[in-house]
Amino acid sequence: MHILIYSYNYHPEPIGIAPLMTELAEGLVKRGHEVRVITGMPNYPQREIYDGYRGKWYVTEQKNGVTIQRSYLRIKSKPNLVDRLLLELSFVFTSLPQALKGGRPDVIILTVPPLLATLPATLLGWLYNCPVILNVQDILPEAAVRIGLLKNKWMIRTLAALEKFAYRTAHTISVIADGFSENLVKKGVPVNKIVCIPNWVNVNFIHPLPKESNSWISSHQLDGKFVVLYSGNIALTQGLETVIEAAVCLRHIKEIVFVIVGESRALQRLQEYCQLNGADNVLLLPLQPREKLPEMLAASDVGLIVQKGNVISFNMPSKIPLLLASGRPIVGSVPATGTAAKAIELSGGGIIVEPESPDAMAAAVYDLYANPTLGAKLGNTGRQFAKENYSLEQALNRYEVLFYHVVTNPKSTVGILPKLDSKKSVVDS
């Protein structure tokens, strides 16, 4: 089958949707499919075009059997609302010529955001007479409005109209959690257009490793420490000030160290907050090379999932499968009724505490520090759940079922994929 993946982010970008789409594309190639990826010049999370790609309009590459067709992006390191709009528009207009270079796909899968990419993908689906699957990683503009990122009423109305257009024109909508499905159905999207395929983790790449003889621990002077780790995007939805304040609560226990790994610019702001609060038990590190990820996760004793209390209920961090697969317990400082909390609870691999409460986070971390048996139990349970529900192979199985189903142009997708279950794998073996 010829599969066209339309994704703003892709390898070598280290976090977000890029590693997931890279694993999906390369996994499909290994199963005998022909995969072409339409993407932008790599820039995330620094918001600067990577060396080797600057000043170029188009680049075509081959990596692990995948044809990668990149196009120019208008990037600003500190974007305002207009800059963000121009960035999405640049991808819309420059990516379309690349997408037209190549054979007719049997199916197109488009990741959103960015929402404007719906326009070229829809046009391609019409030109090639093939189904378009909308892979929804976040629901815009609703999520952006909730956290105060988007306030312009004209822009909100325009994006809301574009959102409706995207749902109406897509053959199938693939969501990453049931909370997304509920949101879309409330907006009038037919339930028979929606399937749930959670984001995944390569459980062979990310797996439990002993802390002993861990070079990542040694290189960061963490020997003998109880490591509480947050790694990934640092954005308005997280509120990592809570992590720093929780660290202050536990300063008296010298063995406990909080490690925050993220984009360098965001770390500068957190460094100032650490100094302001006297948080000398917080280690701030830049994003690590992907090959170091298994060691970094193995260096931790607790993994953190952090959200503000006003985060929209369907937000589903892709870090959850990653932490579960590493065999480390999770402390989820997240809204109790949200998708993230439900995912952690279903996995049995973590503890949920009140969001934006340093005391609650500190208490949960201390419980795991004082009770290593509990941490080991949660970690083992979470690892088993990740293997049964979040593995890359199972995601590939689900996407293959979906692709073959939509290519035959059925009227309904409802019921073709089973739901996650804490006792049963999502794909029968």
Side-chain angles (χ1 to χ4, degrees):
M1 185 178 292
H2 293 192
I3 300 165
L4 180 65
I5 297 178
Y6 223 104
S7 177
Y8 170 80
N9 298 106
Y10 195 77
H11 174 87
E13 294 167 311
I15 60 174
I17 192 63
L20 291 169
M21 287 298 107
T22 304
E23 289 174 342
L24 176 63
E26 294 180 358
L28 290 168
V29 166
K30 288 180 181 178
R31 294 189 173 202
H33 301 284
E34 182 179 319
V35 180
R36 191 159 56 101
V37 174
I38 305 300
T39 188
M41 300 297 178
N43 66 90
Y44 191 74
Q46 298 90 344
R47 294 192 179 91
E48 293 179 357
I49 302 297
Y50 288 15
D51 291 340
Y53 296 92
R54 293 193 188 112
K56 297 181 179 180
W57 279 91
Y58 295 108
V59 173
T60 298
E61 303 169 316
Q62 293 283 334
K63 181 180 182 292
N64 295 333
V66 180
T67 300
I68 308 164
Q69 295 173 284
R70 302 185 184 276
S71 61
Y72 167 84
L73 297 173
R74 181 193 182 276
I75 290 285
K76 293 290 184 181
S77 59
K78 295 181 179 179
N80 55 31
L81 184 61
V82 173
D83 291 327
R84 292 176 187 274
L85 176 61
L86 292 174
L87 168 59
E88 290 197 23
L89 285 172
S90 69
F91 183 56
V92 167
F93 287 109
T94 63
S95 64
L96 187 56
Q98 283 285 66
L100 292 170
K101 296 178 183 177
R104 175 194 176 276
D106 296 302
V107 63
I108 298 170
I109 178 168
L110 165 70
T111 63
V112 293
L115 196 54
L116 283 174
T118 304
L119 300 174
T122 301
L123 177 60
L124 287 168
W126 176 72
L127 289 173
Y128 289 126
N129 190 28
C130 69
V132 175
I133 298 172
L134 195 65
N135 175 242
V136 179
Q137 295 288 324
D138 206 353
I139 296 179
L140 297 176
E142 193 170 345
V145 172
R146 177 68 69 91
I147 63 173
L149 185 62
L150 186 60
K151 299 178 180 179
N152 183 286
K153 292 182 179 180
W154 178 86
M155 184 66 72
I156 292 170
R157 287 196 295 269
T158 300
L159 290 176
L162 184 58
E163 180 189 13
K164 291 180 181 179
F165 170 81
Y167 300 152
R168 186 175 70 251
T169 57
H171 179 286
T172 301
I173 302 168
S174 166
V175 298
I176 60 174
D178 286 336
F180 284 59
S181 303
E182 296 164 6
N183 182 280
L184 298 187
V185 169
K186 288 178 181 177
K187 292 177 178 177
V189 178
V191 69
N192 64 358
K193 290 187 73 167
I194 305 170
V195 296
C196 182
I197 303 180
N199 284 342
W200 55 90
V201 58
N202 186 334
V203 294
N204 297 318
F205 177 60
I206 303 297
H207 58 96
L209 294 169
K211 291 189 69 172
E212 296 77 15
S213 303
N214 185 317
S215 62
W216 199 88
I217 290 178
S218 301
S219 63
H220 295 96
Q221 292 79 51
L222 293 170
D223 298 273
K225 299 295 186 181
F226 184 89
V227 178
V228 184
L229 176 70
Y230 177 90
S231 177
N233 192 29
I234 300 174
L236 291 173
T237 54
Q238 272 84 42
L240 290 190
E241 292 80 6
T242 299
V243 177
I244 294 169
E245 293 165 12
V248 172
C249 296
L250 296 170
R251 281 182 61 199
H252 61 287
I253 305 176
K254 299 304 180 184
E255 290 82 8
I256 299 179
V257 175
F258 286 70
V259 178
I260 299 176
V261 181
E263 196 269 317
S264 297
R265 285 198 182 95
L267 292 180
Q268 292 174 4
R269 175 176 54 82
L270 293 180
Q271 180 66 54
E272 294 173 0
Y273 199 75
C274 285
Q275 293 172 350
L276 182 66
N277 288 272
D280 55 5
N281 57 342
V282 176
L283 176 62
L284 303 176
L285 296 173
L287 289 170
Q288 303 292 293
R290 184 160 177 77
E291 59 269 18
K292 291 290 185 182
L293 195 54
E295 276 190 306
M296 182 184 74
L297 292 171
S300 68
D301 295 278
V302 176
L304 295 178
I305 301 294
V306 186
Q307 295 177 333
K308 287 186 175 181
N310 66 346
V311 168
I312 203 154
S313 63
F314 54 74
N315 185 281
M316 175 63 179
S318 59
K319 289 185 288 292
I320 292 177
L322 203 67
L323 290 173
L324 293 173
S326 73
R328 297 301 190 258
I330 293 174
V331 170
S333 174
V334 296
T337 58
T339 295
K342 292 176 183 176
I344 295 170
E345 289 171 350
L346 182 63
S347 73
I351 300 169
I352 305 300
V353 300
E354 181 184 355
E356 299 185 75
S357 172
D359 291 338
M361 180 183 289
V365 168
Y366 179 79
D367 285 346
L368 293 169
Y369 166 76
N371 189 353
T373 302
L374 172 61
K377 180 181 178 181
L378 292 173
N380 291 336
T381 302
R383 166 67 184 180
Q384 187 62 31
F385 185 86
K387 288 169 62 178
E388 294 177 352
N389 295 279
Y390 289 137
S391 76
L392 172 60
E393 289 305 309
Q394 294 193 12
L396 290 168
N397 289 345
R398 293 169 74 87
Y399 271 109
E400 278 194 313
V401 169
L402 177 58
F403 291 156
Y404 284 119
H405 197 79
V406 300
V407 165
T408 59
N409 198 29
K411 294 183 179 180
S412 174
T413 56
V414 67
I416 68 169
L417 297 175
K419 291 186 176 182
L420 269 73
D421 190 284
S422 58
K423 299 178 181 179
K424 182 180 177 181
S425 170
V426 293
V427 176
D428 294 332
S429 56

